[in-house]
Structure formats: C-alpha cells, structure tokens
Amino acid sequence: MRELPVVAGDGTTLYLEEHGDPDAPVTVVLTHGWALDRRTWRAQIAGLLRAAGRPVRILAYDHRGHGRSDPAPPGTATIGQLGDDLAEVLTRHATAGRVVLAGHSMGGMTIMALAERHRSLFTDRVAGVAFVSTSGGHLSRNGVGGVDPPRWLTARIAAGGNRPPGRALAGVARRWLGRSLFGPGAGPVPVALTAEIIASHWPATLLAFRPTFDDHERHAALAACAGMPVAVLCGEADRLCPPSHSRRIADRVPAADLVLLPGAGHMLTLERSGEVTGRLAALVRATDAAAV
C-alpha cells in the first residue's frame, strides 16, 4: 500500500491509498458514503487483488471532511464539490489505462456529479461503473431515505461539539445504525465497524453534509454511462437508498446489470462483501474484454 495525497483546487488535501500493481492496465477507484471512509471498502480491496484474475490497481480515498482527509471548508460540503475532488483524483493519479469507478451511497452520487460537471473527463477516462446502494435523486421526499437520525440524537450530537460521543451515546447510535443501515441478519462486526467510523466523524461531517442530499438530482448525468459496463447493486432491505432508487438508475442505463440482494441493508460493502467484490471483479474483466 502506498499513500498518495491529493491537493484539491481549493487547497484541501485528500488522503488516498494505492493498492496493487501500479502498472496494471485497469485502475479501480473506490468512493465511500456519507460519514464513512475508505475502510468500508477494505474487503473489496483485499478481494479484488485476489479475484480479478489479472493485475489490478486500486485507489481508495477519503472524501474531504472524512477519514484522514482535511476538513471540508465552509460551503464545500456538497456532492458537487465531491465530484470536483474525484476529477482531481483521476487527473493526478489515473492518467493511463482504463478506469472503473465504484461508489457506495454518497460515493455513487459523487460519480454522478463527476459525469455532470466533468463530462469529457468521464467519457475519456471511465470504462465501467458500479453504483452500490445509491440514488440519482428524490431523496428529500422522505428525509435521506426516511432514516435521518432521530432529532433527540442529532441534538445530542450537536451539543457534544467536536468531542467524540460518550460510551452510552455511542451504544445508542450503534443500535440505531444496526436497525437503519443493515439487514436483519447482519452480524455484529460490520455494525461495530460502521459505528466506529461514523463516531470518528462526530459531529461536524455528519451534520455538514446532510443538506446536500436535498439538492441531489442527477439522473440526467447517467447518460454518460451509455455504452460501458455498469453494475447497480442494492439490498432489498435498504432503507436509506431503497431498491426503487436503484431501479431508476438502471432505467436510465438500459444495459446496466441490476442486482437486488434479499435481506441486505444499506452497507453492502460490509454486509455482502463477497457479492460486491464479485461484481467489481466482473467489471474489471468486462473492461479488459472490451479493450481487446
């Protein structure tokens, strides 16, 4: 693993990791969800290095305001800005070979923002896309999928300032996350990891990025995916970005491979890691085949 910091146009430094063969013909770029970080892709990173069947390079980074990246300056906690940041990652570190983009939740929305705001870059560099547990828009109708944190919990988060949550509050949040983000059969390990990651973003990132979902409407940008391999994955028990959102994405990309996983919730990269890894490996092979 190699660290490759990226400095965005406004001076914000993004933390990025490179895994695999730096000279591989395919680079997979992984973008994570709201109040999460690159660790939610750890099973896919390990699995792709084994399962792709050929050399592969993987870039996984933390969005601004997330993980080890710099905080988001005022006014930049938006999906549009994240699309600009992804453009910086591609421009600086994915300049040769084919690129497969995979986005979970807000990460998938980031890919749509890239296609909307940097169409020529998207068209020239991207050869395949995986949209995992994400949405093209209409999220504000029911809050963010109807599972915004309870008001009393949000108030206690805000009251805590930048301090990490106390043990009791973290326990309550973990139980809420288990019910809201996972399917009924999820084990304790992925729930605990998700709670740990979200707690580390307490509370600035959790609250700062919340308003951007109300403005997210990027179904039209999906036209940029025409003619390339596209996988759309969603858990049938996902409450944050329900299956209807994935169906709308697939409707806009008729050749997309739509996969609905029974009993799974929103955190597919952790809850159904093998299925997600398998679909990403298939995209890598498809882009190789298309290049022959």
Side-chain angles (χ1 to χ4, degrees):
M1 186 272 288
R2 188 162 64 117
E3 296 181 6
L4 300 172
V6 176
V7 180
D10 64 351
T12 302
T13 299
L14 308 177
Y15 176 81
L16 181 146
E17 293 178 349
E18 179 189 55
H19 301 261
D21 184 350
D23 298 318
V26 179
T27 296
V28 180
V29 182
L30 305 173
T31 61
H32 64 78
W34 175 35
L36 301 170
D37 61 34
R38 72 200 178 284
R39 288 177 287 173
T40 57
W41 290 104
R42 64 184 188 181
Q44 285 70 47
I45 292 170
L48 275 176
L49 295 176
R50 295 191 305 266
R54 62 212 67 207
V56 65
R57 177 176 180 245
I58 303 170
L59 299 178
Y61 71 99
D62 293 335
H63 293 304
R64 60 177 57 217
H66 294 73
R68 292 177 62 182
S69 292
D70 284 352
T76 70
T78 67
I79 293 169
Q81 177 63 60
L82 299 186
D84 294 345
D85 291 346
L86 177 53
E88 293 276 4
V89 170
L90 297 182
T91 299
R92 296 172 184 271
H93 293 299
T95 57
R98 297 174 297 284
V99 174
V100 172
L101 300 178
H104 171 248
S105 193
M106 188 174 73
M109 301 173 204
T110 298
I111 294 172
M112 297 175 206
L114 173 73
E116 176 187 66
R117 296 161 72 97
H118 303 273
R119 181 65 175 266
S120 62
L121 176 64
F122 188 96
T123 303
D124 292 344
R125 305 293 308 120
V126 179
V129 179
F131 293 111
V132 182
S133 308
T134 190
S135 171
H138 304 310
L139 284 165
S140 61
R141 294 180 179 180
N142 300 305
V144 181
V147 292
D148 277 339
R151 290 183 179 179
W152 63 266
L153 179 57
T154 302
R156 292 183 67 180
I157 292 172
N162 289 319
R163 299 191 307 274
R167 182 176 300 177
L169 182 55
V172 171
R174 185 162 53 248
R175 290 192 293 274
W176 171 76
L177 288 169
R179 292 192 303 269
S180 300
L181 299 186
F182 289 85
V189 173
V191 176
L193 175 62
T194 302
E196 174 188 335
I197 293 173
I198 292 179
S200 70
H201 296 95
W202 216 275
T205 294
L206 188 65
L207 300 180
F209 277 85
R210 171 60 189 86
T212 192
F213 298 104
D214 293 337
D215 300 326
H216 174 60
E217 175 46 64
R218 293 183 169 87
H219 286 104
L222 294 167
C225 296
M228 66 178 65
V230 175
V232 183
L233 295 86
C234 186
E236 290 188 346
D238 189 337
R239 298 179 60 209
L240 197 66
C241 296
S244 60
H245 292 249
S246 287
R247 292 191 182 97
R248 290 192 194 104
I249 293 172
D251 287 345
R252 294 292 186 119
V253 188
D257 181 19
L258 176 63
V259 181
L260 301 180
L261 298 175
H266 185 66
M267 297 298 297
L268 281 189
T269 59
L270 298 176
E271 191 175 357
R272 298 292 178 87
S273 59
E275 288 94 329
V276 176
T277 300
R279 295 291 171 171
L280 293 184
L283 275 180
V284 171
R285 292 191 292 269
T287 59
D288 267 0
V292 174

